[in-house]
């Protein structure tokens, strides 16, 4: 049954080396490479909290136009500064400030910022406070 399965999420990249460097090196996530060039390489990432993510090579990769991965953090501001120090550029969108951060002055939504991985997939960083 589906309810007894081991579910995971996945998305593609056209550069396994860049993905491995980014997710393992820059973000500090445990990443294991599998496969080979002939059969197709992939990365298994173990995310904080134990969930797993498959990042697979795809020759005709197109970046997702939606958020593929979310990181809810307790100390949003420090995490933003740490990621900036590692070269992460936060996306400036119509609802973000000049630093790429969306803040809800009424507190209905968590403070949020988006950035992209090396092949253009969207990643969200958000304040964990209030999320359940």
């Amino acid at each position: 049954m589906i309810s007894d399965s081991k579910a995971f999420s996945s998305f593609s990249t056209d550069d396994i080396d860049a993905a491995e460097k980014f997710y393992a090196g820059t973000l500090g996530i445990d990443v294991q490479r599998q496969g080979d060039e002939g059969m197709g390489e992939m990365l298994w990432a173990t995310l904080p909290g134990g969930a797993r993510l498959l990042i697979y090579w795809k020759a005709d990769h197109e970046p997702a136009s939606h958020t593929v991965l979310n990181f809810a953090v307790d100390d949003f501001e420090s995490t933003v500064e740490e990621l900036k120090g590692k070269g992460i550029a936060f996306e400036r969108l119509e609802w973000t400030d000049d630093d790429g951060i969306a803040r809800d002055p009424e507190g209905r939504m968590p403070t949020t910022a988006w950035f992209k991985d090396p092949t253009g997939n969207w990643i969200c960083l958000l304040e964990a406070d209030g999320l359940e």
Side-chain angles (χ1 to χ4, degrees):
M1 299 217 67
I2 292 290
S3 62
D4 297 325
S5 69
K6 293 184 179 181
F8 60 91
S9 184
S10 65
F11 54 84
S12 68
T13 183
D14 59 4
D15 190 336
I16 287 289
D17 292 331
E20 183 175 36
K21 182 178 177 184
F22 179 77
Y23 287 97
T26 303
L27 298 184
I29 295 171
D30 178 35
V31 173
Q32 300 297 317
R33 188 184 285 231
Q34 287 187 342
D36 59 45
E37 290 183 25
M39 303 257 324
E41 290 184 290
M42 63 185 103
L43 303 173
W44 277 106
T46 302
L47 301 173
R52 294 193 68 198
L53 168 69
L54 175 65
I55 304 169
Y56 58 94
W57 180 83
K58 185 177 177 195
D60 60 349
H61 163 76
E62 291 187 28
S65 60
H66 60 279
T67 303
V68 297
L69 187 56
N70 297 278
F71 292 100
V73 297
D74 291 327
D75 189 344
F76 181 86
E77 300 298 334
S78 292
T79 305
V80 165
E81 291 307 313
E82 179 184 348
L83 291 173
K84 283 182 180 179
K86 292 181 176 187
I88 299 288
F90 291 93
E91 297 294 315
R92 291 184 183 168
L93 306 165
E94 64 184 69
W95 57 86
T96 66
D97 62 20
D98 289 343
D99 292 323
I101 299 174
R103 301 177 194 277
D104 181 356
E106 296 175 16
R108 297 174 305 210
M109 301 293 291
T111 301
T112 309
W114 289 266
F115 58 98
K116 294 181 181 178
D117 77 2
T119 57
N121 292 310
W122 287 82
I123 300 172
C124 179
L125 179 71
L126 62 153
E127 196 170 38
D129 188 37
L131 293 179
E132 298 185 28

